[in-house]
Amino acid sequence: RTAAQPGKNQPTSPRRLRYNMAQVVPVVDLRAANVAQAWEHAMRSAGFAVVIGHNVERDAREEMFRASRTFFLDRSPSDKQRFNFGAYGAPTGGFTAQGVEAVARTFDSADSPADLVESYVLTLASFRNSAEHAPELIAAGRKYVDQVSALMHKLHHLSARALGVADDFFDRFYDENASLALRLPPHPAVNP
């Protein structure tokens, strides 16, 4: 995937990331002078965007990826199960084995088949009770979640500005007890 490079005479709308001729995804650079206008255009035209210039450090992303791979690939099923703290969606997060989750049950009948994926969820409570959780995920997750949370607040401020309201309009909906979660699902390879 390659992003179009900005030119001197390009319009102020967001740059675009081309997947193929039929799909175009807006790319919003948070460092751009016209970022609020670009964000508004992306939300009105597509409803989502690829965000660049976001200050979530590459090493934080790579550490999170490595820690996740280590947990899922290097630990035995019984070792991973030690980090299961109850039913899927437990407030402290934790591990969920393959065959438990079924996203289709959200919309379809209760007898929809289970998903072929295991997962680990880190919540803010996971970090408060870090001794109970997989240490490799806590160490990498804390840095990553801190940076992504800062990005979330920045995007809320940007959304408020694009809507013409005070930058801090959405702040009242998030406090230190917010129920933010990072879900790590290592989807297995599927043979066609």
Side-chain angles (χ1 to χ4, degrees), residues 121-139:
V121 173
L122 292 171
T123 66
L124 295 179
S126 304
F127 298 113
R128 288 191 290 271
N129 303 310
S130 61
E132 299 174 359
H133 287 272
E136 65 269 34
L137 296 178
I138 290 294

Side-chain angles (χ1 to χ4, degrees), residues 14 25-28 38-39 42-43 46-51:
V25 178
V27 176
V28 176
W39 184 252
M43 294 303 106
F48 58 92
V50 172
V51 176

Side-chain angles (χ1 to χ4, degrees), residues 102-115:
V103 174
R105 291 180 193 152
T106 305
F107 302 105
D108 298 330
S109 65
D111 62 345
S112 294
D115 299 334

Side-chain angles (χ1 to χ4, degrees), residues 106-184:
T106 305
F107 302 105
D108 298 330
S109 65
D111 62 345
S112 294
D115 299 334
L116 298 176
V117 67
E118 58 189 346
S119 68
Y120 201 110
V121 173
L122 292 171
T123 66
L124 295 179
S126 304
F127 298 113
R128 288 191 290 271
N129 303 310
S130 61
E132 299 174 359
H133 287 272
E136 65 269 34
L137 296 178
I138 290 294
R142 188 179 312 266
K143 180 178 182 180
Y144 182 77
V145 167
D146 285 348
Q147 291 183 21
V148 170
S149 293
L151 173 60
M152 175 193 68
H153 290 294
K154 186 173 191 170
L155 293 176
H156 286 158
H157 291 175
L158 182 58
S159 295
R161 191 174 320 133
L163 290 168
V165 296
D167 279 9
D168 64 354
F169 178 83
F170 295 107
D171 289 356
R172 63 184 167 186
F173 300 105
Y174 294 91
D175 63 19
E176 66 276 358
N177 297 312
S179 59
L180 304 174
L182 171 63
R183 183 173 177 271
L184 304 167

Side-chain angles (χ1 to χ4, degrees), residues 59-127:
D59 70 324
R61 297 188 313 259
E62 289 174 353
E63 286 171 33
M64 190 73 256
F65 180 77
R66 278 193 303 274
S68 180
R69 285 186 58 85
T70 297
F71 179 84
F72 288 107
L73 297 178
D74 294 352
R75 289 182 181 265
S76 69
S78 60
D79 191 28
K80 288 186 272 191
Q81 197 60 39
R82 293 185 311 121
F83 302 102
N84 178 291
F85 304 116
Y88 177 72
T92 59
F95 174 73
T96 300
Q98 183 175 337
V100 174
E101 294 179 66
V103 174
R105 291 180 193 152
T106 305
F107 302 105
D108 298 330
S109 65
D111 62 345
S112 294
D115 299 334
L116 298 176
V117 67
E118 58 189 346
S119 68
Y120 201 110
V121 173
L122 292 171
T123 66
L124 295 179
S126 304
F127 298 113

